[in-house]
Amino acid sequence: MSTKQIELVVPPRSPQFVGDGFRVQRFIPSSFRLTMERMSPFILLDYNTKFHFPPSETPKGVGVHPHRGFETVTIAYKGEVAHHDSAGGGGVIGEGDVQWMTAASGVLHKEYHSEKFSKNGGDFQMVQLWVNLPAKDKMSPPKYQALKHSDIKSYKIEDQLGQIEVIAGEYKGINGSISTFTPIHMLNARLNKGGVAKFNFPSEFNTALLVIEGSIVVDNEEVSTDHLVLFENEGENFKIHANSDAVVLVLSGKPIEEPIAAQGPFVMNTKEELVQAVEDFNLGKFGYLEE
C-alpha cells in the first residue's frame, strides 16, 4: 500500500467569536481547498484554540438556535460546556468528553460554559465539527450521544509512548462507541515525545489532522500546534512522529457525493429544502427550548 502525501498545511486562522463564549478559528470551510464539498463529510470545523476566560457570574456561550440536516460534534480538551436541546439531550461536557448530536430533521439547542467553569474561569479549548448526513437520513429523528472520556476506548502504543483514543470508526481492531450514518474515523492521538502512530485509511476518504498540542512530523514535514494537515486523496498509509508531547485530532471519512445546499444553521441538498427548513423553524416544528 502506498503512502499518503500532504496536500496542504493550513496555519492558524483569524479568530472570531461565536456568541460570547467560543473564540474559534474556522478551518472548514475557509478556502477553495477546504470547502464543504472537498472535506465531506466534515462540512465545518471550528477550533477554539486554548484561550483563558476570567471568572464570570453569567455563563458565556451561545443562545437557543436551530439545526437541520447534519450532526454537531463537540470535543472538549480544556474547560466545560453545558448543552441542552429540544429533543431532550443535554448535560455537561467535561475535559476529554465528546458530545455527538444528530440534528437531522431539526432541533433547537444552546451551549454555554458550565456554571462551575464560569465561576472559576480557566483555559478553554474545544473543537466543534459539523458532520453531514446523506439525503436519505437528513429528516431522520434527532438523537444525542454523550461519550465520557473515561469510556473512550483506546489503543496503547508500545513502550508507553502514547495511546489512540477511538471516538468513532476503528483503529487496529478497536471500535469507537459512537454510531455514524456514513463511514467515519475520528481519533485522538495522544503521543508522548518520541511516540509514533501509524494510520491506514482508504485513499478516497477525505483525511485531515489538527494539531491540538505539541509538534509532530508527518510526511517529512514538521507541523506545529494549531495547524491543520490535509492529505491528498491518494495512498492509504501515513505516520505521525511526536517531536514533543502531542495531541492530534485525526479525521477520515468517506465523502458523501451529493449536492450541498447550506444556509446558516441548515445543510440540505436543495434550495427548496432550505426554504422548507426555515418555514418549519418559524412554525415551531423544531420543538421548544427555554432561553
Side-chain angles (χ1 to χ4, degrees), residues 3-30:
T3 302
K4 279 188 177 294
Q5 306 292 316
I6 291 177
E7 178 177 327
L8 185 67
V9 175
V10 185
R13 321 303 292 165
S14 298
Q16 62 190 58
F17 265 90
V18 176
D20 61 0
F22 304 94
R23 181 183 178 271
V24 304
Q25 300 179 18
R26 180 155 294 173
F27 282 93
I28 304 171
S30 63

PDB file of all heavy atoms in Angstrom, residues 3-30:
ATOM      1  N   THR A   3       1.912   5.417   0.356  1.00  0.00           N
ATOM      2  CA  THR A   3       1.868   6.417   1.431  1.00  0.00           C
ATOM      3  C   THR A   3       1.046   7.625   1.014  1.00  0.00           C
ATOM      4  O   THR A   3       1.129   8.085  -0.132  1.00  0.00           O
ATOM      5  CB  THR A   3       3.298   6.866   1.784  1.00  0.00           C
ATOM      6  OG1 THR A   3       4.049   5.716   2.171  1.00  0.00           O
ATOM      7  CG2 THR A   3       3.288   7.881   2.908  1.00  0.00           C
ATOM      8  N   LYS A   4       0.257   8.147   1.963  1.00  0.00           N
ATOM      9  CA  LYS A   4      -0.473   9.389   1.709  1.00  0.00           C
ATOM     10  C   LYS A   4       0.503  10.555   1.718  1.00  0.00           C
ATOM     11  O   LYS A   4       1.382  10.642   2.578  1.00  0.00           O
ATOM     12  CB  LYS A   4      -1.537   9.615   2.789  1.00  0.00           C
ATOM     13  CG  LYS A   4      -2.830   8.838   2.580  1.00  0.00           C
ATOM     14  CD  LYS A   4      -3.885   9.279   3.577  1.00  0.00           C
ATOM     15  CE  LYS A   4      -5.203   8.573   3.348  1.00  0.00           C
ATOM     16  NZ  LYS A   4      -5.830   8.935   2.067  1.00  0.00           N
ATOM     17  N   GLN A   5       0.317  11.492   0.798  1.00  0.00           N
ATOM     18  CA  GLN A   5       1.125  12.692   0.729  1.00  0.00           C
ATOM     19  C   GLN A   5       0.317  13.890   1.239  1.00  0.00           C
ATOM     20  O   GLN A   5      -0.907  13.945   1.075  1.00  0.00           O
ATOM     21  CB  GLN A   5       1.573  12.970  -0.712  1.00  0.00           C
ATOM     22  CG  GLN A   5       2.274  11.803  -1.385  1.00  0.00           C
ATOM     23  CD  GLN A   5       3.620  11.493  -0.767  1.00  0.00           C
ATOM     24  OE1 GLN A   5       4.404  12.387  -0.483  1.00  0.00           O
ATOM     25  NE2 GLN A   5       3.889  10.213  -0.548  1.00  0.00           N
ATOM     26  N   ILE A   6       1.006  14.851   1.823  1.00  0.00           N
ATOM     27  CA  ILE A   6       0.341  16.071   2.280  1.00  0.00           C
ATOM     28  C   ILE A   6      -0.027  16.943   1.084  1.00  0.00           C
ATOM     29  O   ILE A   6       0.800  17.210   0.214  1.00  0.00           O
ATOM     30  CB  ILE A   6       1.245  16.854   3.247  1.00  0.00           C
ATOM     31  CG1 ILE A   6       1.395  16.097   4.573  1.00  0.00           C
ATOM     32  CG2 ILE A   6       0.684  18.253   3.503  1.00  0.00           C
ATOM     33  CD1 ILE A   6       2.328  16.758   5.563  1.00  0.00           C
ATOM     34  N   GLU A   7      -1.261  17.381   1.053  1.00  0.00           N
ATOM     35  CA  GLU A   7      -1.705  18.333   0.027  1.00  0.00           C
ATOM     36  C   GLU A   7      -1.513  19.772   0.497  1.00  0.00           C
ATOM     37  O   GLU A   7      -1.149  20.659  -0.280  1.00  0.00           O
ATOM     38  CB  GLU A   7      -3.174  18.098  -0.304  1.00  0.00           C
ATOM     39  CG  GLU A   7      -3.733  19.083  -1.329  1.00  0.00           C
ATOM     40  CD  GLU A   7      -5.176  18.789  -1.703  1.00  0.00           C
ATOM     41  OE1 GLU A   7      -5.569  17.606  -1.716  1.00  0.00           O
ATOM     42  OE2 GLU A   7      -5.913  19.760  -1.987  1.00  0.00           O
ATOM     43  N   LEU A   8      -1.754  19.992   1.793  1.00  0.00           N
ATOM     44  CA  LEU A   8      -1.778  21.357   2.296  1.00  0.00           C
ATOM     45  C   LEU A   8      -1.582  21.353   3.805  1.00  0.00           C
ATOM     46  O   LEU A   8      -2.125  20.497   4.498  1.00  0.00           O
ATOM     47  CB  LEU A   8      -3.145  21.975   1.965  1.00  0.00           C
ATOM     48  CG  LEU A   8      -3.413  23.442   2.265  1.00  0.00           C
ATOM     49  CD1 LEU A   8      -2.562  24.339   1.373  1.00  0.00           C
ATOM     50  CD2 LEU A   8      -4.897  23.757   2.045  1.00  0.00           C
ATOM     51  N   VAL A   9      -0.781  22.289   4.312  1.00  0.00           N
ATOM     52  CA  VAL A   9      -0.707  22.555   5.743  1.00  0.00           C
ATOM     53  C   VAL A   9      -1.270  23.951   5.962  1.00  0.00           C
ATOM     54  O   VAL A   9      -0.785  24.928   5.389  1.00  0.00           O
ATOM     55  CB  VAL A   9       0.731  22.468   6.285  1.00  0.00           C
ATOM     56  CG1 VAL A   9       0.765  22.867   7.763  1.00  0.00           C
ATOM     57  CG2 VAL A   9       1.290  21.059   6.116  1.00  0.00           C
ATOM     58  N   VAL A  10      -2.321  24.039   6.772  1.00  0.00           N
ATOM     59  CA  VAL A  10      -3.039  25.298   6.964  1.00  0.00           C
ATOM     60  C   VAL A  10      -2.643  25.896   8.312  1.00  0.00           C
ATOM     61  O   VAL A  10      -2.818  25.254   9.347  1.00  0.00           O
ATOM     62  CB  VAL A  10      -4.565  25.077   6.916  1.00  0.00           C
ATOM     63  CG1 VAL A  10      -5.300  26.413   6.990  1.00  0.00           C
ATOM     64  CG2 VAL A  10      -4.947  24.312   5.662  1.00  0.00           C
ATOM     65  N   PRO A  11      -2.110  27.131   8.323  1.00  0.00           N
ATOM     66  CA  PRO A  11      -1.740  27.768   9.594  1.00  0.00           C
ATOM     67  C   PRO A  11      -2.971  28.207  10.370  1.00  0.00           C
ATOM     68  O   PRO A  11      -4.091  28.181   9.838  1.00  0.00           O
ATOM     69  CB  PRO A  11      -0.913  28.976   9.139  1.00  0.00           C
ATOM     70  CG  PRO A  11      -1.448  29.309   7.783  1.00  0.00           C
ATOM     71  CD  PRO A  11      -1.827  27.990   7.162  1.00  0.00           C
ATOM     72  N   PRO A  12      -2.801  28.621  11.630  1.00  0.00           N
ATOM     73  CA  PRO A  12      -3.944  29.102  12.415  1.00  0.00           C
ATOM     74  C   PRO A  12      -4.690  30.214  11.686  1.00  0.00           C
ATOM     75  O   PRO A  12      -4.081  31.063  11.013  1.00  0.00           O
ATOM     76  CB  PRO A  12      -3.291  29.617  13.702  1.00  0.00           C
ATOM     77  CG  PRO A  12      -2.016  28.859  13.814  1.00  0.00           C
ATOM     78  CD  PRO A  12      -1.551  28.642  12.403  1.00  0.00           C
ATOM     79  N   ARG A  13      -6.001  30.218  11.807  1.00  0.00           N
ATOM     80  CA  ARG A  13      -6.857  31.209  11.147  1.00  0.00           C
ATOM     81  C   ARG A  13      -7.073  32.405  12.060  1.00  0.00           C
ATOM     82  O   ARG A  13      -6.754  32.380  13.253  1.00  0.00           O
ATOM     83  CB  ARG A  13      -8.221  30.601  10.790  1.00  0.00           C
ATOM     84  CG  ARG A  13      -8.185  29.166  10.296  1.00  0.00           C
ATOM     85  CD  ARG A  13      -7.305  28.974   9.088  1.00  0.00           C
ATOM     86  NE  ARG A  13      -7.854  29.636   7.909  1.00  0.00           N
ATOM     87  CZ  ARG A  13      -7.147  29.876   6.805  1.00  0.00           C
ATOM     88  NH1 ARG A  13      -5.879  29.569   6.757  1.00  0.00           N
ATOM     89  NH2 ARG A  13      -7.717  30.453   5.779  1.00  0.00           N
ATOM     90  N   SER A  14      -7.667  33.457  11.527  1.00  0.00           N
ATOM     91  CA  SER A  14      -8.024  34.614  12.347  1.00  0.00           C
ATOM     92  C   SER A  14      -9.182  34.231  13.261  1.00  0.00           C
ATOM     93  O   SER A  14     -10.201  33.701  12.781  1.00  0.00           O
ATOM     94  CB  SER A  14      -8.433  35.792  11.465  1.00  0.00           C
ATOM     95  OG  SER A  14      -7.365  36.187  10.637  1.00  0.00           O
ATOM     96  N   PRO A  15      -9.087  34.487  14.561  1.00  0.00           N
ATOM     97  CA  PRO A  15     -10.157  34.077  15.480  1.00  0.00           C
ATOM     98  C   PRO A  15     -11.384  34.973  15.360  1.00  0.00           C
ATOM     99  O   PRO A  15     -11.293  36.149  15.012  1.00  0.00           O
ATOM    100  CB  PRO A  15      -9.511  34.204  16.856  1.00  0.00           C
ATOM    101  CG  PRO A  15      -8.435  35.221  16.686  1.00  0.00           C
ATOM    102  CD  PRO A  15      -7.934  35.074  15.278  1.00  0.00           C
ATOM    103  N   GLN A  16     -12.540  34.390  15.647  1.00  0.00           N
ATOM    104  CA  GLN A  16     -13.796  35.126  15.688  1.00  0.00           C
ATOM    105  C   GLN A  16     -14.629  34.546  16.820  1.00  0.00           C
ATOM    106  O   GLN A  16     -14.484  33.377  17.170  1.00  0.00           O
ATOM    107  CB  GLN A  16     -14.549  35.005  14.359  1.00  0.00           C
ATOM    108  CG  GLN A  16     -14.937  33.561  14.009  1.00  0.00           C
ATOM    109  CD  GLN A  16     -15.455  33.408  12.595  1.00  0.00           C
ATOM    110  OE1 GLN A  16     -14.784  33.732  11.621  1.00  0.00           O
ATOM    111  NE2 GLN A  16     -16.664  32.887  12.467  1.00  0.00           N
ATOM    112  N   PHE A  17     -15.482  35.367  17.407  1.00  0.00           N
ATOM    113  CA  PHE A  17     -16.322  34.875  18.494  1.00  0.00           C
ATOM    114  C   PHE A  17     -17.639  34.346  17.955  1.00  0.00           C
ATOM    115  O   PHE A  17     -18.274  34.977  17.103  1.00  0.00           O
ATOM    116  CB  PHE A  17     -16.586  35.984  19.520  1.00  0.00           C
ATOM    117  CG  PHE A  17     -15.624  35.967  20.674  1.00  0.00           C
ATOM    118  CD1 PHE A  17     -14.439  36.682  20.614  1.00  0.00           C
ATOM    119  CD2 PHE A  17     -15.888  35.207  21.803  1.00  0.00           C
ATOM    120  CE1 PHE A  17     -13.534  36.661  21.665  1.00  0.00           C
ATOM    121  CE2 PHE A  17     -14.996  35.167  22.871  1.00  0.00           C
ATOM    122  CZ  PHE A  17     -13.814  35.896  22.802  1.00  0.00           C
ATOM    123  N   VAL A  18     -18.038  33.166  18.435  1.00  0.00           N
ATOM    124  CA  VAL A  18     -19.376  32.637  18.225  1.00  0.00           C
ATOM    125  C   VAL A  18     -20.089  32.812  19.560  1.00  0.00           C
ATOM    126  O   VAL A  18     -19.689  32.227  20.565  1.00  0.00           O
ATOM    127  CB  VAL A  18     -19.341  31.155  17.810  1.00  0.00           C
ATOM    128  CG1 VAL A  18     -20.755  30.606  17.686  1.00  0.00           C
ATOM    129  CG2 VAL A  18     -18.584  30.984  16.499  1.00  0.00           C
ATOM    130  N   GLY A  19     -21.124  33.650  19.573  1.00  0.00           N
ATOM    131  CA  GLY A  19     -21.680  34.077  20.848  1.00  0.00           C
ATOM    132  C   GLY A  19     -20.605  34.836  21.610  1.00  0.00           C
ATOM    133  O   GLY A  19     -19.746  35.491  21.011  1.00  0.00           O
ATOM    134  N   ASP A  20     -20.632  34.744  22.938  1.00  0.00           N
ATOM    135  CA  ASP A  20     -19.570  35.390  23.710  1.00  0.00           C
ATOM    136  C   ASP A  20     -18.710  34.372  24.453  1.00  0.00           C
ATOM    137  O   ASP A  20     -17.873  34.732  25.272  1.00  0.00           O
ATOM    138  CB  ASP A  20     -20.150  36.409  24.701  1.00  0.00           C
ATOM    139  CG  ASP A  20     -21.081  35.779  25.730  1.00  0.00           C
ATOM    140  OD1 ASP A  20     -21.285  34.543  25.693  1.00  0.00           O
ATOM    141  OD2 ASP A  20     -21.627  36.519  26.570  1.00  0.00           O
ATOM    142  N   GLY A  21     -18.906  33.059  24.121  1.00  0.00           N
ATOM    143  CA  GLY A  21     -18.205  32.037  24.873  1.00  0.00           C
ATOM    144  C   GLY A  21     -17.256  31.165  24.073  1.00  0.00           C
ATOM    145  O   GLY A  21     -16.555  30.331  24.643  1.00  0.00           O
ATOM    146  N   PHE A  22     -17.229  31.355  22.746  1.00  0.00           N
ATOM    147  CA  PHE A  22     -16.410  30.488  21.912  1.00  0.00           C
ATOM    148  C   PHE A  22     -15.569  31.340  20.959  1.00  0.00           C
ATOM    149  O   PHE A  22     -16.094  31.959  20.033  1.00  0.00           O
ATOM    150  CB  PHE A  22     -17.283  29.508  21.130  1.00  0.00           C
ATOM    151  CG  PHE A  22     -18.171  28.672  22.013  1.00  0.00           C
ATOM    152  CD1 PHE A  22     -19.480  29.066  22.275  1.00  0.00           C
ATOM    153  CD2 PHE A  22     -17.695  27.526  22.617  1.00  0.00           C
ATOM    154  CE1 PHE A  22     -20.299  28.320  23.111  1.00  0.00           C
ATOM    155  CE2 PHE A  22     -18.506  26.769  23.455  1.00  0.00           C
ATOM    156  CZ  PHE A  22     -19.809  27.165  23.703  1.00  0.00           C
ATOM    157  N   ARG A  23     -14.279  31.367  21.202  1.00  0.00           N
ATOM    158  CA  ARG A  23     -13.337  32.130  20.362  1.00  0.00           C
ATOM    159  C   ARG A  23     -12.693  31.141  19.395  1.00  0.00           C
ATOM    160  O   ARG A  23     -11.756  30.434  19.737  1.00  0.00           O
ATOM    161  CB  ARG A  23     -12.289  32.806  21.238  1.00  0.00           C
ATOM    162  CG  ARG A  23     -11.263  33.660  20.491  1.00  0.00           C
ATOM    163  CD  ARG A  23     -10.250  34.214  21.483  1.00  0.00           C
ATOM    164  NE  ARG A  23      -9.208  35.010  20.844  1.00  0.00           N
ATOM    165  CZ  ARG A  23      -8.063  34.497  20.373  1.00  0.00           C
ATOM    166  NH1 ARG A  23      -7.837  33.195  20.460  1.00  0.00           N
ATOM    167  NH2 ARG A  23      -7.159  35.284  19.824  1.00  0.00           N
ATOM    168  N   VAL A  24     -13.238  31.075  18.191  1.00  0.00           N
ATOM    169  CA  VAL A  24     -12.891  29.977  17.290  1.00  0.00           C
ATOM    170  C   VAL A  24     -12.096  30.447  16.067  1.00  0.00           C
ATOM    171  O   VAL A  24     -12.177  31.603  15.645  1.00  0.00           O
ATOM    172  CB  VAL A  24     -14.154  29.227  16.817  1.00  0.00           C
ATOM    173  CG1 VAL A  24     -14.964  28.734  18.012  1.00  0.00           C
ATOM    174  CG2 VAL A  24     -15.018  30.087  15.901  1.00  0.00           C
ATOM    175  N   GLN A  25     -11.341  29.496  15.558  1.00  0.00           N
ATOM    176  CA  GLN A  25     -10.689  29.657  14.262  1.00  0.00           C
ATOM    177  C   GLN A  25     -11.350  28.671  13.316  1.00  0.00           C
ATOM    178  O   GLN A  25     -11.375  27.468  13.593  1.00  0.00           O
ATOM    179  CB  GLN A  25      -9.192  29.383  14.382  1.00  0.00           C
ATOM    180  CG  GLN A  25      -8.504  30.324  15.357  1.00  0.00           C
ATOM    181  CD  GLN A  25      -7.020  30.033  15.504  1.00  0.00           C
ATOM    182  OE1 GLN A  25      -6.423  29.371  14.666  1.00  0.00           O
ATOM    183  NE2 GLN A  25      -6.423  30.534  16.569  1.00  0.00           N
ATOM    184  N   ARG A  26     -11.904  29.161  12.222  1.00  0.00           N
ATOM    185  CA  ARG A  26     -12.656  28.302  11.303  1.00  0.00           C
ATOM    186  C   ARG A  26     -11.726  27.770  10.217  1.00  0.00           C
ATOM    187  O   ARG A  26     -11.224  28.508   9.378  1.00  0.00           O
ATOM    188  CB  ARG A  26     -13.823  29.069  10.688  1.00  0.00           C
ATOM    189  CG  ARG A  26     -14.657  28.236   9.707  1.00  0.00           C
ATOM    190  CD  ARG A  26     -16.069  28.766   9.583  1.00  0.00           C
ATOM    191  NE  ARG A  26     -16.787  28.611  10.859  1.00  0.00           N
ATOM    192  CZ  ARG A  26     -18.001  29.113  11.070  1.00  0.00           C
ATOM    193  NH1 ARG A  26     -18.628  29.791  10.120  1.00  0.00           N
ATOM    194  NH2 ARG A  26     -18.588  28.933  12.247  1.00  0.00           N
ATOM    195  N   PHE A  27     -11.525  26.459  10.250  1.00  0.00           N
ATOM    196  CA  PHE A  27     -10.701  25.809   9.232  1.00  0.00           C
ATOM    197  C   PHE A  27     -11.540  25.305   8.062  1.00  0.00           C
ATOM    198  O   PHE A  27     -11.091  25.284   6.925  1.00  0.00           O
ATOM    199  CB  PHE A  27      -9.919  24.647   9.852  1.00  0.00           C
ATOM    200  CG  PHE A  27      -8.721  25.067  10.648  1.00  0.00           C
ATOM    201  CD1 PHE A  27      -8.812  25.280  12.016  1.00  0.00           C
ATOM    202  CD2 PHE A  27      -7.496  25.262  10.033  1.00  0.00           C
ATOM    203  CE1 PHE A  27      -7.705  25.668  12.752  1.00  0.00           C
ATOM    204  CE2 PHE A  27      -6.378  25.650  10.764  1.00  0.00           C
ATOM    205  CZ  PHE A  27      -6.478  25.852  12.124  1.00  0.00           C
ATOM    206  N   ILE A  28     -12.759  24.832   8.358  1.00  0.00           N
ATOM    207  CA  ILE A  28     -13.664  24.342   7.312  1.00  0.00           C
ATOM    208  C   ILE A  28     -15.015  25.020   7.511  1.00  0.00           C
ATOM    209  O   ILE A  28     -15.551  24.985   8.615  1.00  0.00           O
ATOM    210  CB  ILE A  28     -13.873  22.811   7.402  1.00  0.00           C
ATOM    211  CG1 ILE A  28     -12.544  22.067   7.351  1.00  0.00           C
ATOM    212  CG2 ILE A  28     -14.793  22.331   6.281  1.00  0.00           C
ATOM    213  CD1 ILE A  28     -12.675  20.575   7.665  1.00  0.00           C
ATOM    214  N   PRO A  29     -15.583  25.621   6.456  1.00  0.00           N
ATOM    215  CA  PRO A  29     -14.966  25.944   5.169  1.00  0.00           C
ATOM    216  C   PRO A  29     -14.160  27.238   5.284  1.00  0.00           C
ATOM    217  O   PRO A  29     -14.561  28.151   6.019  1.00  0.00           O
ATOM    218  CB  PRO A  29     -16.178  26.126   4.251  1.00  0.00           C
ATOM    219  CG  PRO A  29     -17.274  26.613   5.165  1.00  0.00           C
ATOM    220  CD  PRO A  29     -17.017  25.986   6.508  1.00  0.00           C
ATOM    221  N   SER A  30     -13.037  27.307   4.569  1.00  0.00           N
ATOM    222  CA  SER A  30     -12.225  28.523   4.669  1.00  0.00           C
ATOM    223  C   SER A  30     -11.472  28.874   3.395  1.00  0.00           C
ATOM    224  O   SER A  30     -10.934  29.959   3.290  1.00  0.00           O
ATOM    225  CB  SER A  30     -11.220  28.395   5.828  1.00  0.00           C
ATOM    226  OG  SER A  30     -10.319  27.346   5.588  1.00  0.00           O
TER     227      SER A  30
END
